[in-house]
């Protein structure tokens, strides 16, 4: 299988040991033999791995043929959450690059050391509930 699908033999053995691909038999010398279904499963597993899925997720997706779409959808949602988190982290240094003052650097340091809960509280406190906001000037 390693020759047919590309990864090192150690990777194929590991994926076999964790249940991602299963050999159909072993030779008298103890070598694992894989059928065409195993090779196809290995290709699909590699695709899912390239998309960032963990081996447990991959095994679960491949074990449930009808669940592959649901697993892919859940993984896509997890990636969206990760991307939003990264964009939030990216916003801090971007803001500082626009404010090159000591105040900006101090703000970045304080914000970077806050927990996600503290940052949410900071934003919530800043915005406040709608009933406590002071109205803007009237025309």
């Amino acid at each position: 299988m390693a020759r047919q699908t590309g990864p090192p033999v150690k990777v194929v053995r590991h994926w076999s040991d964790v249940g991602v691909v299963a050999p159909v038999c072993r030779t008298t010398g103890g070598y694992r033999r894989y059928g065409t279904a195993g090779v196809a499963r290995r290709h699909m597993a590699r695709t899912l791995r390239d998309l960032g899925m963990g081996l447990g997720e991959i095994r679960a997706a491949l074990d449930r043929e009808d669940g592959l779409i649901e697993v892919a959808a859940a993984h896509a949602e997890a990636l969206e959450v990760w991307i939003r988190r990264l964009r939030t982290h990216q916003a801090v240094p971007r803001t500082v690059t626009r404010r090159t003052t000591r105040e900006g650097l101090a703000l970045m340091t304080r914000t970077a050391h806050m927990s996600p809960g503290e940052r949410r509280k900071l934003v919530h406190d800043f915005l406040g509930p709608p009933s406590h906001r002071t109205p803007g000037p009237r025309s």
Side-chain angles (χ1 to χ4, degrees):
M1 180 183 286
R3 266 186 252 124
Q4 288 180 341
T5 62
V9 173
K10 286 175 81 172
V11 171
V12 174
R13 274 197 303 258
H14 176 68
W15 284 31
S16 178
D17 291 344
V18 298
V20 173
V21 293
V24 292
C25 65
R26 288 189 180 249
T27 66
T28 55
Y31 292 98
R32 302 166 204 214
R33 295 283 181 198
Y34 300 88
T36 55
V39 172
R41 186 175 164 104
R42 164 65 184 99
H43 282 298
M44 176 58 80
R46 178 58 194 213
T47 299
L48 296 174
R49 187 71 169 152
D50 289 344
L51 291 172
M53 286 189 175
L55 292 181
E57 289 177 294
I58 292 169
R59 186 179 61 240
L62 295 176
D63 287 347
R64 297 183 321 233
E65 293 174 14
D66 61 335
L68 185 58
I69 291 171
E70 289 81 10
V71 170
H75 187 67
E77 180 57 35
L79 287 172
E80 285 295 326
V81 169
W82 187 23
I83 290 167
R84 282 194 298 271
R85 191 176 323 130
L86 288 173
R87 284 191 177 131
T88 300
H89 290 294
Q90 180 187 40
V92 173
R94 279 221 171 128
T95 300
V96 170
T97 60
R98 294 183 191 127
R99 302 168 93 189
T100 57
T101 65
R102 287 184 186 189
E103 174 192 333
L105 293 173
L107 174 64
M108 180 184 74
T109 302
R110 282 193 312 273
T111 306
H113 288 102
M114 288 180 174
S115 70
E118 290 171 322
R119 279 193 287 270
R120 276 192 299 277
K121 183 179 179 332
L122 180 70
V123 171
H124 182 269
D125 290 349
F126 176 75
L127 295 176
S131 61
H132 293 97
R133 291 187 191 148
T134 57
R138 293 185 176 212
S139 317

